[in-house]
Amino acid sequence: MSELPDRLSTDPRSPYYNAEVLSRDVGIRFKGVEKNNVEEYCVSEGWVRVTAGSSKDRYGNPLTIKLTGPVEPYFRDEQ
């Protein structure tokens, strides 16, 4: 599998979670800057969800912020 999906999440409870794709080293460029704290992305809608520091919600999950802009996912091992 050499193509990344349009939408991908790191949360196993999400319908967009894909362990096979995540087993490879996926990188995200957001607005031309490398991001390491992306929880979920959508290329066609142009947004990423990033963790908001170390804050947690009432269920113990990290709080996320949705940022809009151009998203470029890639496999780090294919550079």
Side-chain angles (χ1 to χ4, degrees), residues 35 37-40 48-52 63-67:
K35 293 285 187 183
N37 61 344
V38 175
E39 294 285 320
E40 185 174 0
V48 293
R49 283 198 181 276
V50 295
T51 55
L63 287 178
T64 59
I65 299 172
K66 187 176 186 178
L67 304 173

Side-chain angles (χ1 to χ4, degrees), residues 2-5 22 31 37 39 43-45 47 52-53 57-58 63-64 66-69:
S2 63
E3 253 189 65
L4 283 157
L22 291 172
K31 295 185 179 179
N37 61 344
E39 294 285 320
V43 175
S44 63
E45 295 176 17
W47 57 262
D57 66 9
R58 60 183 163 188
L63 287 178
T64 59
K66 187 176 186 178
L67 304 173
T68 58

